[in-house]
Amino acid sequence: MNVSMTLTALQGIPLIRPGDDLGEILWYALMSNGITLQDGDILVIAQKIVSKAEGRLVNLSEITPSAQAEELARLTSKDARFVELVLRESRAVLRYRPGTLIVEHRWGFVCANAGIDHSNVEGLYGNPEDWVLLLPEDPDASARRIRAALRERSGVNLGVLIIDSHGRAWRLGTVGVCIGVAGVPALVDLRGHPDLFGYQLRVTQVAAADELAAAASLIMGQADEKRPVVHVRGFPYPLRESSFSELRRPEEQDLFR
């Protein structure tokens, strides 16, 4: 049996502004790219346009750093106002050194700087260097809203992933990872399934949402490509309800803490 999966970057996505209706924008982008949604299709969406639409822009000139932020800024050589935002978005600071601040985000994943970013961020006024972008307030809820809007228009069962670029504890470089999901299995449990020789798998769980996020991130790009949305057809697992929590490793099992 031939198995294939097609990933298509949507062209013509406009620059997203606070308050924009992403569901409507994506619907018209699909039509202009000649794509008719089918059952089982998935849209993979860069976190940045979701955050922009939700108005998650912050101007550092309006942030007053705490004493903790001031101290961490001294230790990491970062702007204390930026560090203050990182602390507000985090459950805990896990590691730091000059130039690096690793935290547990309040949604449970570990990342640098709580996902707060300067790149490809256009401010509303003042000094452009003072503007940063936070992750969506609730990435799962964002994914659910976009999915519902597209399901209402198309009448098909589709999935939505919201992804970001994260580093990994044991490898160099960043990869695309899922931070919000709706209608796509985040984790596929293959324990109990036989391998080629009839041996029952005992520990295999597939981070299917992360694998798809990494594939989509390859064609999205990381700089000025303007490809923040990827349409996916042929995902090899059945769609189902899920949430990011499926991917979160319990703290007592995390050997990198």
Side-chain angles (χ1 to χ4, degrees):
M1 180 179 67
N2 291 329
V3 177
S4 65
M5 184 170 68
T6 304
L7 289 84
T8 306
L10 299 188
Q11 304 298 320
I13 302 291
L15 290 176
I16 302 300
R17 307 290 184 185
D20 281 351
D21 184 338
L22 277 186
E24 182 177 34
I25 289 170
L26 296 181
W27 176 248
Y28 285 109
L30 287 162
M31 289 195 294
S32 67
N33 281 263
I35 296 173
T36 300
L37 287 175
Q38 299 178 8
D39 282 337
D41 284 359
I42 298 170
L43 285 186
V44 183
I45 305 170
Q47 156 271 320
K48 196 154 287 183
I49 67 168
V50 179
S51 291
K52 287 179 179 179
E54 294 180 359
R56 298 286 284 163
L57 288 159
V58 177
N59 189 299
L60 292 178
S61 67
E62 300 171 358
I63 302 300
T64 302
S66 63
Q68 182 185 8
E70 295 278 9
E71 177 62 11
L72 271 175
R74 183 184 67 80
L75 294 169
T76 59
S77 302
K78 290 181 176 291
D79 187 319
R81 303 168 301 173
F82 180 83
V83 174
E84 175 62 28
L85 280 179
V86 172
L87 292 177
R88 294 180 188 180
E89 290 291 294
S90 304
R91 290 179 180 176
V93 175
L94 302 182
R95 299 285 189 276
Y96 59 83
R97 68 181 185 185
T100 303
L101 182 57
I102 305 298
V103 300
E104 180 185 352
H105 192 273
R106 56 191 175 82
W107 285 108
F109 46 80
V110 174
C111 62
N113 302 323
I116 301 172
D117 199 3
H118 279 289
S119 64
N120 288 321
V121 175
E122 183 181 24
L124 305 176
Y125 55 82
N127 182 0
E129 293 297 316
D130 283 340
W131 287 94
V132 296
L133 190 68
L134 280 57
L135 295 184
E137 181 68 33
D138 181 341
D140 277 349
S142 301
R144 289 193 298 268
R145 285 193 295 270
I146 295 169
R147 182 190 185 212
L150 292 173
R151 287 185 71 173
E152 182 178 355
R153 288 173 167 85
S154 67
V156 305
N157 182 32
L158 74 154
V160 170
L161 289 188
I162 296 174
I163 72 169
D164 195 11
S165 297
H166 284 190
R168 297 156 296 166
W170 52 90
R171 292 178 182 265
L172 293 175
T174 62
V175 296
V177 299
C178 170
I179 64 169
V181 58
V184 180
L187 195 70
V188 175
D189 192 349
L190 296 182
R191 291 173 296 182
H193 288 243
D195 68 7
L196 286 174
F197 304 100
Y199 174 80
Q200 280 200 339
L201 300 175
R202 297 182 180 179
V203 297
T204 304
Q205 294 177 294
V206 179
D210 280 345
E211 289 193 315
L212 183 56
S217 183
L218 275 176
I219 59 175
M220 282 184 180
Q222 298 291 328
D224 62 353
E225 295 86 355
K226 297 181 181 178
R227 297 193 294 264
V229 183
V230 172
H231 170 265
V232 180
R233 182 162 292 163
F235 185 65
Y237 301 107
L239 298 191
R240 63 167 173 80
E241 299 301 327
S242 64
S243 70
F244 169 79
S245 62
E246 294 181 15
L247 295 168
R248 188 184 302 120
R249 186 182 296 276
E251 185 174 346
E252 64 273 11
Q253 298 176 15
D254 188 346
L255 301 182
F256 292 91
R257 298 257 180 172

